[in-house]
Every structure is written in structure tokens, then in C-alpha cells.
Amino acid sequence: MTRNTASHLRLTSPPGAVSPSRIPIHWDAATAGLRGPVIATATAGAERNAIGAHGGAYSIYRALAIASGAMAAEARPQLTDTYPVAPVGPHAQWREPGRIVSLDPWGHRVAEDFAAQLAQGVDIRPTIAITSARICLPEVREAIARGRLKIDGEVVHAGGEVVVTKAAIDPVWHLPGIAERFEVEEAKLRRTLFEQTGGMYPELVTRPDIAVFLPPIGGITVYMFGDPARLGDRRFALTCRVHDECNSSDVFGSDICTCRPYLIHGIEEATRQAQAGGAGLIVYNRKEGRALGEVTKFLVYNARQRQPGGDRAATYFERTECVAGVRDARVQQLMPDVLHWLGVRRIDRFISMSNMKYDALVAGGIEIVERVPIPDDLVPPDAGVEMEAKKAAGYFTHDRTPAVRAVP
């Protein structure tokens, strides 16, 4: 029997048939050493202490590469020179119980904090990477031409490129914390995850001793404008947009919604804040189509356009619920975690009209000073139905007041 097969059998054996991992995880510990590394590789054997696999949805592509012989199952990443270009943390929120439950705050510090274990052959892999880049968008060049942004050679360069620090984050769920965040019993959460993934992860129900799960879903990309150290420093103003993925608009420019215009508006405002000596932040969550997926989103488009009388705000969410069973599956309860990872406790200018996002951040202990709506001249004509429907349903607040509103 190969080691891979043996490891698989150990993981999916009934409770009590296997010993707990020899490297336990203490989720809210104050240091990386006390917390312990997250180990989710198939070949880890008795060291494995997490359910699922590294890489989120991309773990399936890795499996295909291994099955086709393009990649060795035993391949390990060589982490030399992969360390972050800018430090993030540790921040106080990392050790505050319940603040971070959907990502590993130590995930970018693997080579640094777990060097001794790596030298001993323990297969520990990063779940966060931080690098530097420049972004170049036609709308930014237009903002420069119109005088809304200035070329300073530091944040904005002569060609219109904006300097950023960016981070990619794979999801890492602490199941007891996830259950508490959603106010459900952990056993019910585990059972539902097991059933709704077609039994893909049996250890969700057979291994209650393993509390960490790496779900096969999209992660988060973070774009930081200005000095990343200023993000969590209250002495510096922070402008932030939290954006949920919309491939149709963000990439291909569909004008049926305001997604790309609002994203670009957030980038411009974040750039301006960095130039003023503060910091800007764009959080890009991979939750396509309100976390319903593109197939469902396009089916809803068809249903809206083909109904008698055409697309109407009054039936906007009804059409979505008929196809998807729910109007919105984005569940923003986990969204504040990435802000806590960055040490953020206050957002001076929140570039969003979403009450769901606002309420989640405030409930998570993050102060919001000002809410900034999308300028009317940035709303595409064909996006009017969506805007009116969301306003009527309580999704939006079209003003700058920070009062909390209940979301239906």
C-alpha cells in the first residue's frame, strides 16, 4: 500500500480509529509557534491537521496534473526568496478570539515562522503571498488627463501606472469559529458542508478532532495603495472598497451592472488617499454572481429579459430566487476577517453603498466614518434596473451617513 493511500484511509476512518495529529493547531494563539502550522497535504500522514487541500479550487487542477503524469504527487514548493515584499502583522486581532476565522493570519510567514519544522521535513505550505506590482487602467489614465489624479512618480507614474502592494489569500476555515459566526451548531455546519459537496470531504463528519478546513472555493486578492504599514494605523486616513467579483463587468465591461465603474471609482479614491499621505485598500472577493456562479447569473439574465414586460426592478430579485433559490449567497459575515488580518479598526471612507457589507464590518468591530456612494454619472444606463431593485430591497444606502440599517 502506498503512503498516499494509507494517509487517505487514516483521514477517512471513523472517529477514534486514528490518533490526533502530532502537530496540533491552537487557533487564536498569540504567536505562530503556539498556534502551530496548517498542514493539509495528502502526503503529510500523521502530521496532517486540516481537512481539504491547499490551493482552494486549484487543488482540482493539481490533481489532474498528477493524474496525467505532468506532476509528481510528492512535489513540494521550494520557498527560497518567496517571502513577502512587505510585512503584514502580527496584529492584535490575530489573537483576539473570533476576529479571524476564515483565513490563516500566519499564512504568509510560513518560511519565517516554521523554518525549524520545514528543515525537519514537515510539508508546510503558505496560504498567503504578498508581492508588488503596478496596475494600468484606461480609466486611471483618463482621471489623470482630467486632473482628478496627479502624476507624482511615487504612487502614480508617468505612464499612468499605479504602484501597489498586493496579496493573494486562500481560504482557511476554523470550523468552530465559522459555526459561531453564523450562529449554527458546528455539527450541523460540518454535516451540511459534507452533504452539499456530495460527500467530497468525509472527514468533516468522521474527524471532529480536526477543526480546520481548506474549502475548494475562490480566495481573496488585496490591493494596497501607499505604505501597507499605514492600513491599520489610526494616524493615517484609510479609503477602502470591498468588491465582490463580477467577471462580466470587471473584465469584459458589461453595462448591465455598476460593478466595474464602482471598482474603478474605488481604485481612483484609494490612489488619491495614498497620494494624500494616507492609505488605500481594495479587497477583491472571488464570489462571482453573488456567490451563485456565472452559469446561474446568466440564467437569471435570460429569465429577467424574457419575462412579460421586460426587465423590471419590481421582479429583479424574484427572478433570481426562482432560478437560484436565494437572492444573494454572498453572506458577508466572513468579509471583515481580511481587514482584521491587516490590522484595520477604522475605515475613514468606505467606497460602498451596500448595507450588507457595512453592517458586517460594524458588527465585526470596524468603525466606518463615511460611506461614499457611486457618482450618478458612473452608473451605466442599463444598470438602472439593478440600482432601483437594490434600493427598494434595502441593499443600498444612497447617502454618506454611517447609520446601521437592517437588511431584509
Side-chain angles (χ1 to χ4, degrees):
M1 180 179 293
T2 66
R3 183 183 178 188
N4 286 352
T5 304
S7 297
H8 176 72
L9 290 177
R10 283 196 295 272
L11 277 169
T12 57
S13 298
V18 293
S19 300
S21 170
R22 72 176 187 85
I23 303 179
I25 295 175
H26 304 286
W27 187 257
D28 292 316
T31 67
L34 293 174
R35 206 292 305 273
V38 173
I39 306 171
T41 50
T43 57
E47 295 163 351
R48 183 179 169 110
N49 57 18
I51 301 165
H54 287 287
Y58 294 98
S59 62
I60 304 301
Y61 291 104
R62 183 171 64 246
L64 288 175
I66 293 171
S68 65
M71 177 181 177
E74 297 79 16
R76 293 191 181 191
Q78 221 296 341
L79 299 178
T80 302
D81 293 333
T82 63
Y83 52 83
V85 300
V88 172
H91 294 293
Q93 292 100 312
W94 295 14
R95 60 179 182 272
E96 293 174 5
R99 287 292 191 202
I100 299 176
V101 300
S102 62
L103 60 89
D104 176 7
W106 305 94
H108 57 303
R109 297 167 53 104
V110 164
E112 173 186 355
D113 291 331
F114 303 114
Q117 293 95 322
L118 287 167
Q120 295 168 4
V122 180
D123 192 357
I124 310 168
R125 305 193 181 189
T127 57
I128 300 175
I130 305 172
T131 190
S132 58
R134 296 185 184 186
I135 58 176
C136 188
L137 297 164
E139 292 94 338
V140 170
R141 291 196 294 270
E142 180 183 354
I144 294 171
R146 293 179 178 272
R148 297 196 306 270
L149 289 176
K150 305 295 184 182
I151 295 172
D152 59 10
E154 183 177 352
V155 178
V156 180
H157 285 246
E161 303 94 347
V162 180
V163 176
V164 296
T165 303
K166 60 183 182 180
I169 304 172
D170 281 339
V172 178
W173 287 6
H174 181 239
L175 291 171
I178 297 285
E180 183 176 354
R181 189 77 62 85
F182 284 89
E183 299 181 343
V184 300
E185 294 183 357
E186 184 184 346
K188 180 180 180 180
L189 172 67
R190 286 173 172 265
R191 171 64 63 179
T192 305
L193 288 169
F194 169 71
E195 292 174 347
Q196 294 302 314
T197 57
M200 183 181 290
Y201 301 100
E203 54 267 35
L204 283 167
V205 292
T206 65
R207 295 294 304 271
D209 58 300
I210 300 181
V212 174
F213 174 45
L214 279 60
I217 60 175
I220 303 169
T221 307
V222 175
Y223 287 83
M224 296 166 262
F225 300 73
D227 185 352
R230 296 183 177 182
L231 292 170
D233 190 331
R234 290 174 178 264
R235 295 175 299 172
F236 302 97
L238 172 62
T239 291
C240 172
R241 171 155 179 82
V242 177
H243 188 91
D244 292 330
E245 180 182 33
C246 178
N247 186 59
S248 302
S249 178
D250 297 343
V251 179
F252 293 101
S254 171
D255 63 356
I256 200 172
C257 64
T258 61
C259 294
R260 181 179 174 91
Y262 220 161
L263 175 61
I264 297 298
H265 181 56
I267 290 172
E268 183 176 331
E269 293 296 321
T271 302
R272 187 177 294 109
Q273 190 73 77
Q275 289 187 309
L281 180 65
I282 301 292
V283 177
Y284 194 86
N285 294 300
R286 310 308 293 268
K287 298 179 182 177
E288 179 64 57
R290 296 193 212 128
L292 301 171
E294 276 196 309
V295 169
T296 297
K297 181 166 74 171
F298 291 3
L299 293 173
V300 171
Y301 284 170
N302 288 345
R304 285 169 50 193
Q305 293 162 359
R306 289 171 176 164
Q307 64 186 334
D311 195 12
R312 305 190 310 278
T315 57
Y316 179 90
F317 287 112
E318 178 186 338
R319 293 292 84 200
T320 303
E321 289 186 83
C322 286
V323 175
V326 64
R327 66 169 57 176
D328 196 327
R330 285 178 295 180
V331 291
Q332 300 292 355
Q333 287 94 321
L334 303 179
M335 180 266 290
D337 290 24
V338 65
L339 280 299
H340 290 308
W341 174 64
L342 292 166
V344 173
R345 294 191 185 272
R346 186 189 71 213
I347 298 172
D348 296 273
R349 303 184 73 240
F350 185 47
I351 313 298
S352 174
M353 296 159 64
S354 169
N355 292 324
M356 295 174 68
K357 293 175 183 176
Y358 174 83
D359 292 348
L361 288 169
V362 172
I366 295 174
E367 176 190 0
I368 295 178
V369 178
E370 179 186 9
R371 302 173 69 176
V372 181
I374 186 171
D376 291 336
D377 62 346
L378 293 184
V379 179
D382 286 349
V385 170
E386 178 192 52
M387 293 290 285
E388 291 304 318
K390 288 186 174 181
K391 289 177 189 176
Y395 266 68
F396 283 169
T397 291
H398 203 294
D399 59 36
R400 297 169 183 266
T401 59
V404 179
R405 293 181 52 181
V407 178

